[in-house]
Amino acid sequence: MYKKLVVLALLLFFTLNTSAQCAMCKAVIEGDNPSVAEGVNNGITYLMVFPYILVGTLFYFIYRHKKKGEE
């Protein structure tokens, strides 16, 4: 177990610098129009919100189910 934690810590602390954008997204963001870059950022934020809402709702129902089981 200890070895697994050490390997996980090393993997988290020593990461490679990689680019995770597609070529078209990178070209749009590097352009001269800041409103387009803001739109891309808003789109990313919009796409990130829903998984957090779904996971939060799932954990809420699990918590509520366990709370009823204890009573």
Side-chain angles (χ1 to χ4, degrees), residues 40-52:
V40 171
N41 288 336
N42 289 340
I44 291 169
T45 304
Y46 176 77
L47 290 173
M48 283 178 47
V49 167
F50 291 105
Y52 286 111

Side-chain angles (χ1 to χ4, degrees), residues 25-61:
C25 295
K26 186 175 179 180
V28 167
I29 291 173
E30 288 178 350
D32 293 332
N33 194 350
S35 66
V36 173
E38 185 179 339
V40 171
N41 288 336
N42 289 340
I44 291 169
T45 304
Y46 176 77
L47 290 173
M48 283 178 47
V49 167
F50 291 105
Y52 286 111
I53 291 171
L54 290 173
V55 170
T57 305
L58 175 70
F59 281 132
Y60 170 73
F61 283 117

Side-chain angles (χ1 to χ4, degrees), residues 3-18:
K3 288 181 182 180
K4 289 181 182 179
L5 289 175
V6 170
V7 170
L8 180 65
L10 289 174
L11 288 174
L12 289 175
F13 290 122
F14 299 106
T15 60
L16 297 173
N17 188 12
T18 59

